Amino acid sequence: MRVVITVGGSIIIKDHDYKKFQDYASVLKSMAQEHQIMVVVGGGRTARDYIGIARDLGASEALCDDIGIEVTRLNARILITALGDDAYPRVPHNFAQALEFSTTGKIVVMGGTEPAHSTDAVGSILAEFVGADLLLNATSVDGLYDKDPNKHIDARMFPEITPQEMLGMLADKEMKAGTYEFMDKTAIQIIGRSMIKTVIFNGENPENLKKAVKDELGTVIMPNK
Ligand code: UTP
């Protein structure tokens, strides 16, 4: 299968050390024996810190986004470093480049592309662009909940959901640099139109990737339900 994986910065750069990158690299290498893998890495707290500094200096939202993108690309470079020869050595800056780099058979790792969305949207556009069979979204919680599970103990996780239902949940949320919700609107709209099967799952343990690819955990977004 051709699989696109988005890894939230809040997971991979959380502890500010090499370990998570190394663990992710080892799982990705083993998955690449069987599947064609493309990865999109988020910015995490580092991106939010930099965006905060730029905003305090009076930068526009688009400029703040652009600074966030630089951080996601930096994280992508670190994952490429961890993957060594198994990864294409450069970070693509757009989808055509990502597709081109993937023809080498290497794992392609990218960050953001342009302002006004998160790396979740990059993942869904990339999945559509390259005709992926599956989109895996690694987050810090077990799946998609009806409310924030870190704040509400009665939060309920959806085993399955449609893009339409997700958009309904996002209706009143704001879109600002560094604060795109559990998945931004662009990401959900693309998943809806491209009909790419998507799984949101807990990526704190990289081994979960192997289960997510087999549908064994998380929330499945069913575009054609
Ligand atoms: P992230 O995708 O990491 O955003 O990109 P996030 O919603 O904060 O996700 P987590 O918490 O890491 O999972 C960091 C920021 O970079 C900008 C946005 O401002 C985003 O919030 N960005 C990223 C873009 O503007 N365009 C992109 O293509 C990617």
Side-chain angles (χ1 to χ4, degrees):
M1 283 197 290
R2 183 171 270 192
V3 185
V4 171
I5 303 166
T6 63
V7 186
S10 42
I11 296 172
I12 206 156
I13 195 78
K14 188 170 154 196
D15 304 322
H16 281 262
D17 73 1
Y18 72 96
K19 195 75 180 69
K20 263 291 160 54
F21 286 96
Q22 194 175 56
D23 293 348
Y24 257 94
S26 137
V27 172
L28 290 169
K29 281 182 191 186
S30 105
M31 286 176 78
Q33 310 278 325
E34 244 182 286
H35 306 288
Q36 186 183 16
I37 304 290
M38 301 178 89
V39 188
V40 181
V41 184
R45 204 188 73 210
T46 321
R48 277 188 289 279
D49 285 349
Y50 273 75
I51 286 168
I53 294 168
R55 191 177 282 129
D56 288 345
L57 290 167
S60 67
E61 282 307 305
L63 180 52
C64 288
D65 278 335
D66 212 38
I67 284 167
I69 292 168
E70 295 286 350
V71 177
T72 62
R73 288 176 177 163
L74 198 57
N75 288 343
R77 286 194 67 183
I78 299 284
L79 183 57
I80 288 172
T81 306
L83 285 162
D85 282 347
D86 291 45
Y88 190 82
R90 280 177 50 212
V91 177
H93 284 198
N94 57 55
F95 303 104
Q97 242 179 15
L99 187 59
E100 189 189 321
F101 295 173
S102 76
T103 61
T104 60
K106 302 267 186 186
I107 300 172
V108 173
V109 187
M110 68 189 294
T113 51
E114 64 280 303
H117 54 65
S118 72
T119 45
D120 289 336
V122 175
S124 57
I125 300 168
L126 179 65
E128 184 175 64
F129 200 96
V130 302
D133 302 291
L134 182 65
L135 173 61
L136 300 180
N137 187 279
T139 66
S140 55
V141 290
D142 289 346
L144 185 71
Y145 289 78
D146 57 351
K147 47 192 161 188
D148 187 344
N150 295 317
K151 292 184 191 146
H152 306 273
I153 48 166
D154 61 336
R156 210 170 44 90
M157 191 183 109
F158 300 102
E160 277 184 19
I161 194 163
T162 65
Q164 292 71 22
E165 287 163 341
M166 287 176 79
L167 285 171
M169 288 168 63
L170 272 183
D172 53 352
K173 299 282 180 357
E174 67 178 347
M175 285 181 76
K176 262 178 109 180
T179 60
Y180 297 106
E181 275 298 324
F182 54 84
M183 235 194 198
D184 64 50
K185 291 189 184 92
T186 311
I188 301 165
Q189 280 162 343
I190 301 286
I191 290 167
R193 80 172 188 189
S194 65
M195 315 258 278
I196 290 169
K197 184 178 163 189
T198 304
V199 182
I200 304 176
F201 69 100
N202 195 323
E204 294 286 358
N205 178 359
E207 289 290 331
N208 281 349
L209 268 174
K210 293 179 182 166
K211 293 185 183 155
V213 87
K214 291 190 212 145
D215 247 1
E216 289 171 1
L217 77 185
T219 296
V220 181
I221 308 176
M222 304 297 281
N224 52 355
K225 210 176 103 179

